[in-house]
Amino acid sequence: MPFAYAMQGLNDGDAVKRQGWAGYVKKTVTNAETGAYKITFVKRDGTETEYAVTADGTITAASPMTFDVELMAAMLSDDWIKGTAAAFEAARSGNGTW
């Protein structure tokens, strides 16, 4: 599914990734009352970039990431899959037998 649709359906603790990626993008609710949350991009090497989203839609980042060709291609792709952040992290970090 396209990235925008995948992101719209995320709940707290959910994540999306492309099938060929070790990294993923996760959502964490920071204030359920106001609807504030953060989106975290987790790279293959474990580096994280967080974007805070407030109830009014304002987005901020302590240190924005570079929007490179690979990320641009990913945003335009329609092969995003959903799962839990915990499952994607286990796969990224190499936990498990398989």
Side-chain angles (χ1 to χ4, degrees):
M1 77 183 73
F3 181 72
Y5 292 131
M7 293 300 295
Q8 288 173 359
L10 292 184
N11 294 310
D12 187 40
D14 288 344
V16 296
K17 66 180 264 176
R18 296 187 67 201
Q19 290 187 13
W21 276 17
Y24 57 95
V25 183
K26 66 181 176 178
K27 178 179 180 178
T28 307
V29 174
T30 55
N31 188 328
E33 291 180 20
T34 66
Y37 59 94
K38 67 181 176 180
I39 296 296
T40 306
F41 287 77
V42 181
K43 290 183 179 179
R44 175 184 300 272
D45 67 3
T47 303
E48 295 186 359
T49 302
E50 290 183 355
Y51 291 87
V53 183
T54 62
D56 69 1
T58 302
I59 301 172
T60 58
S63 59
M65 66 184 167
T66 302
F67 193 71
D68 61 11
V69 173
E70 183 180 3
L71 187 56
M72 172 93 167
M75 295 296 155
L76 297 173
S77 297
D78 64 356
D79 62 348
W80 290 84
I81 57 173
K82 288 184 186 179
T84 65
F88 288 162
E89 177 57 24
R92 187 205 62 78
S93 61
N95 295 334
T97 303
W98 303 101

